[in-house]
Amino acid sequence: MSAVFERRSVRDFLPKPVEPDKIERILKAGFEAPSAHNRRPWEFMVITAPDDLRAIADMSPYAKMAVKAAAALAPCVNINRGNAAAPEDTWWCQDLAAATENMLLQITEEGLGGVWLGWYPDKTRVTAFSQRFGLPPHIIPFSVIALGYPAGPVQKADRFDPAKVHYGVYGKHSRLNG
Ligand SMILES: Cc1cc2nc3c(=O)[nH]c(=O)nc-3n(C[C@H](O)[C@H](O)[C@H](O)COP(=O)(O)O)c2cc1C
């Protein structure tokens, strides 16, 4: 099985906790992500209390499934490990996106399901999360991953589109000569 091709967003979960060793492996997958200059500017929030999951669901119109999730993991940037000297330097967004995707793939490997919830740069969501969970100003929540045991089968999809692949020159869709 390749998790890349099995992963799909899962938004409905069984009322069943996720084992701590699975959570730990998912976190470890986040730490393995590539990062610009190898800065590894991430820190991770682990949220499992039902009240807190309900609060997350209320912070975004697109996070309602968090109520049923067993846990929420939030990759955050430590801006002091990003490039604090240049706040406009947002390479860290790519670092944190790589960490988020690594975690989603490990969630799939663990037989779990999860969904990436967009957080940064939505100021309302960032502020609500930071206030609720006591984040200091240099820690910014980048994404929230709601996860748990899927309530139903996960549908696969083949999305490969050769029309969007260009060999050597834009518009050449075949790797054969001519
Ligand atoms: C940056 C980003 C933000 C997203 N935000 C949300 C969100 O707030 N709520 C949600 O249900 N899904 C969210 N998603 C998941 C997408 O809707 C999902 O990845 C897309 O529909 C493709 O489906 P798949 O993940 O099953 O391949 C987000 C995905 C990304 C990459």
Side-chain angles (χ1 to χ4, degrees), residues 40-56:
R40 288 168 280 151
W42 38 64
E43 301 194 17
F44 299 90
M45 292 291 296
V46 180
I47 312 289
T48 53
D51 277 1
D52 288 337
L53 293 167
R54 259 192 300 278
I56 287 173

Side-chain angles (χ1 to χ4, degrees), residues 7-125:
R7 185 211 60 81
R8 287 278 82 91
S9 292
V10 170
R11 299 183 176 85
D12 196 12
F13 308 101
L14 296 177
K16 179 178 169 185
V18 170
E19 297 80 350
D21 59 318
K22 292 195 175 200
I23 299 278
E24 198 169 314
R25 281 194 294 273
I26 295 160
L27 292 166
K28 283 183 174 171
F31 279 91
E32 292 304 322
S35 62
H37 295 284
N38 197 17
R39 282 193 188 117
R40 288 168 280 151
W42 38 64
E43 301 194 17
F44 299 90
M45 292 291 296
V46 180
I47 312 289
T48 53
D51 277 1
D52 288 337
L53 293 167
R54 259 192 300 278
I56 287 173
D58 287 340
M59 291 176 194
S60 161
Y62 310 107
K64 297 302 167 214
M65 79 300 286
V67 171
K68 292 183 81 177
L73 304 178
C76 304
V77 67
N78 180 337
I79 207 70
N80 294 339
R81 287 187 62 85
N83 186 353
E88 73 286 357
D89 173 350
T90 53
W91 287 103
W92 63 262
C93 288
Q94 298 177 50
D95 306 336
L96 269 289
T100 304
E101 177 69 358
N102 265 19
M103 294 164 79
L104 288 170
L105 294 176
Q106 188 61 31
I107 285 168
T108 307
E109 287 285 345
E110 301 289 347
L112 302 167
V115 57
W116 175 331
L117 304 178
W119 229 257
Y120 182 87
D122 185 288
K123 284 196 173 67
T124 309
R125 291 176 213 170

